[in-house]
Amino acid sequence: MRLWGGRFEGGPADALTRLSVSVQFDWRLAPYDLMASRAHARVLHRAGLLTDDELGRMIGALDDLEEACKAGRFRPTVADEDVHTALERGLLERLGTLGGKLRAGRSRNDQVATDFRLYLRDHVRTIVSRLVDLQTALMSQAERHVDTVAPGMTHLQHAQPVSLGHQLLVHVHSISRDIERFKDWDRRAAVCPLGSGALAGSSLPLDPRAVAAELGFDAASPNSMDAVSDRDFAAEFLFAAALTGVHLSRLGEEIVLWASQEFRWIEMDDAYSTGSSIMPQKKNPDVAELARGKSGRLVGNLMSLLTTLKGLALTYNRDLQEDKEPVFDSVDTLLLVLPAVAGLVSTMRVNVSKVEASAPDGFALATDLAELLVRKGVPFREAHEAVGHLVVWCQVNDKDFEDLTDEELIKVSPHFTPDSREVLSVPGAIAARKAYGGTAPDRVREQLVSLRVAVDGYAEWASGN
Ligand code: ARG
């Protein structure tokens, strides 16, 4: 069963058929192809190309075919070149010659572009729901640990103490940006190619704008040639998915570190960790590692499609069939990874005493000491020097800031009066960072309140409201 062949005398070579067939992966577009077919049938009816009775039978057959697909009673065969071919076969089986009327004014070029957009707009909403689940898990942990003090790091070295809640919320913000990108993407993807035919539009009196509205698009494509060549929506989706993957890899890396013997900040739940086949003691962070590792294929899928698109002549070229697998793979990958990461995050237990004990390590309060001097009028340059000397003195004498006597302080610099010690408190240092965006617990609690409002909005968007 082929949708072409009238002008061919011989049949296709097996090697061509094997190269050309896409039904093994594009079959997942079937529900969207049927949806678009119903809209197309209605537009043919309004154009006077289908009678009332023919439209009724056509819609009935499309509905029946959809049921049969869902129940697995209708399946594509190796002889179907693609999803469009398979479904036309299903229609012909149900309607006989009437089934052959639906293809009027339509080409697989505008059909596949429409199906693909419908599929992606639908799945982007599912992806956003799973992202919201991960945000919710991160926010619950953050809420529990607003007052847990942790060593904040730069260069993976202790830098300044922070609220652990503040650190956890970083990932909620990056995911919010991912979601905003998907929402923004959706506005640009909401343009319907159906009615563009092979490339030039149709001589039949179709109504592309009515079809677009029926399929939930905001507009019909204003240029039929652009409509069948454009895959920006697929490339843009892949970029948003790749960056989401990069964010998941950074969260994954943090969790790998936190679960290590050196950090021991968290204990992973048994349900979200794995063992070793040889070392009985092992408990490994495979979920976090796979989240980190799978970012590779998400980035690769973007590169793959951009490379396919580069230099393509207008309009449709068969190269464009290569658009689907990277996109399907990125959708599948995100939907596979996100629930596991959300489960890992929501079930991990923070080892509060261990995290807090290491918060002041590495002279993490050095900046606070320097800023105290600044408040007393010492130029920051001098204060920075003085505290630097104090750090060296402590290292040589194997002491921490808290262990210093008044005499020792003064000896290093006359700026260090006994009251200097007042700023040497981790909770004090955190509470002092109370300007907007800072790590002070009050600010973190406010951050949580506004994030919850935003995340509720994302959940609503994803559910179609
Ligand atoms: N399977 C094809 C694709 O995904 C459908 C469009 C075929 N169009 C064509 N002119 N051969 O691109």
Side-chain angles (χ1 to χ4, degrees):
M1 157 81 197
R2 283 199 309 277
L3 299 184
W4 46 275
R7 62 103 72 212
F8 289 83
E9 280 172 14
D14 281 353
L16 163 76
T17 304
R18 279 197 302 277
L19 172 65
S20 170
V21 65
S22 60
V23 76
Q24 71 280 16
F25 56 81
D26 67 18
W27 180 241
R28 69 164 88 187
L29 297 177
Y32 306 95
D33 198 78
L34 288 162
M35 206 184 283
S37 285
R38 276 188 290 260
H40 188 63
R42 288 194 190 96
V43 100
L44 290 177
H45 172 248
R46 283 199 296 277
L49 299 168
L50 287 180
T51 65
D52 291 352
D53 172 63
E54 285 174 329
L55 175 67
R57 284 163 56 208
M58 188 76 83
I59 299 288
L62 288 167
D63 289 347
D64 182 63
L65 187 52
E66 176 148 49
E67 280 311 307
C69 291
K70 270 191 203 143
R73 277 184 281 110
F74 183 83
R75 307 266 324 137
T77 73
V78 280
D80 296 319
E81 186 178 306
D82 55 24
V83 59
H84 322 291
T85 311
L87 291 176
E88 183 164 317
R89 176 172 60 78
L91 205 59
L92 292 172
E93 283 166 11
R94 280 158 181 79
L95 292 174
T97 48
L98 173 60
K101 284 199 164 188
L102 188 61
R103 215 200 294 165
R106 180 172 85 164
S107 150
R108 282 181 293 171
N109 298 355
D110 59 344
Q111 219 178 329
V112 75
T114 305
D115 296 356
F116 204 18
R117 284 177 190 251
L118 287 169
Y119 161 86
L120 257 188
R121 295 188 69 208
D122 194 16
H123 283 74
V124 154
R125 283 158 176 79
T126 311
I127 290 169
V128 168
S129 291
R130 296 293 86 80
L131 287 167
V132 163
D133 293 342
L134 175 55
Q135 287 185 306
T136 305
L138 285 160
M139 287 190 297
S140 306
Q141 288 286 4
E143 190 160 37
R144 244 170 273 158
H145 295 291
V146 171
D147 295 300
T148 301
V149 299
M153 304 194 188
T154 62
H155 312 268
L156 207 57
Q157 307 279 333
H158 285 214
Q160 293 174 345
V162 293
S163 144
L164 184 63
H166 196 50
Q167 177 157 355
L168 287 161
L169 290 183
V170 170
H171 301 288
V172 181
H173 287 288
S174 59
I175 297 170
S176 284
R177 290 192 292 275
D178 293 329
I179 292 175
E180 295 289 350
R181 247 183 301 278
F182 283 124
K183 287 179 63 182
D184 189 50
W185 168 90
D186 189 62
R187 284 193 303 109
R188 270 185 301 288
V191 177
C192 183
L194 204 59
S196 300
L199 76 162
S202 177
S203 69
L204 302 174
L206 306 178
D207 185 354
R209 289 201 270 214
V211 172
E214 181 175 340
L215 293 175
F217 288 102
D218 293 344
S221 174
N223 183 318
S224 59
M225 294 176 77
D226 184 35
V228 296
S229 344
D230 168 39
R231 292 295 183 276
D232 290 4
F233 67 95
E236 251 192 89
F237 164 79
L238 287 175
F239 171 70
L243 192 52
T244 302
V246 168
H247 291 150
L248 292 173
S249 78
R250 295 184 72 174
L251 172 61
E253 170 64 6
E254 287 221 285
I255 294 177
V256 168
L257 285 172
W258 296 348
S260 70
Q261 188 64 35
E262 283 63 34
F263 275 72
R264 282 200 296 113
W265 284 17
I266 58 161
E267 178 70 27
M268 295 174 296
D269 194 85
D270 284 359
Y272 290 97
S273 39
T274 51
S276 154
S277 56
I278 177 168
M279 298 165 283
Q281 85 284 9
K282 291 282 275 179
K283 191 169 175 186
N284 291 329
D286 288 28
V287 170
E289 290 167 340
L290 285 166
R292 193 175 57 186
K294 287 203 186 272
S295 63
R297 62 197 294 159
L298 292 167
V299 173
N301 288 337
L302 170 64
M303 292 313 133
S304 155
L305 181 63
L306 287 174
T307 310
T308 295
L309 296 177
K310 182 188 171 298
L312 269 193
L314 295 179
T315 53
Y316 180 85
N317 300 273
R318 195 63 181 277
D319 312 47
L320 290 177
Q321 180 167 292
E322 290 297 308
D323 61 356
K324 280 167 223 64
E325 285 164 293
V327 167
F328 292 158
D329 185 70
S330 288
V331 169
D332 292 347
T333 299
L334 286 177
L335 293 180
L336 190 64
V337 169
L338 286 168
V341 178
L344 173 65
V345 168
S346 65
T347 56
M348 69 189 191
R349 284 174 300 280
V350 174
N351 191 350
V352 174
S353 55
K354 177 78 173 81
V355 178
E356 295 206 318
S358 62
D361 289 356
F363 306 100
L365 296 171
T367 317
D368 297 83
L369 210 46
E371 287 178 358
L372 172 77
L373 302 191
V374 167
R375 283 195 290 276
K376 291 179 174 178
V378 180
F380 184 75
R381 194 184 163 76
E382 250 173 71
H384 188 284
E385 277 281 304
V387 178
H389 292 317
L390 198 62
V391 168
V392 174
W393 194 91
C394 286
Q395 280 177 330
V396 169
N397 295 284
D398 197 22
K399 288 196 170 199
D400 277 330
F401 283 159
E402 308 88 83
D403 309 327
L404 296 168
T405 63
D406 293 353
E407 299 70 47
E408 288 167 338
L409 277 171
I410 304 262
K411 200 158 63 192
V412 175
S413 163
H415 293 313
F416 294 126
T417 49
D419 65 340
S420 302
R421 222 173 277 107
E422 282 164 23
V423 297
L424 294 179
S425 132
V426 169
I430 290 178
R433 287 168 171 76
K434 57 181 189 290
Y436 181 78
T439 190
D442 287 347
R443 292 299 88 78
V444 178
R445 270 182 272 273
E446 287 164 10
Q447 217 187 122
L448 257 167
V449 171
S450 41
L451 277 172
R452 286 209 191 278
V453 173
V455 171
D456 284 350
Y458 301 150
E460 209 172 298
W461 182 83
S463 70
N465 299 315

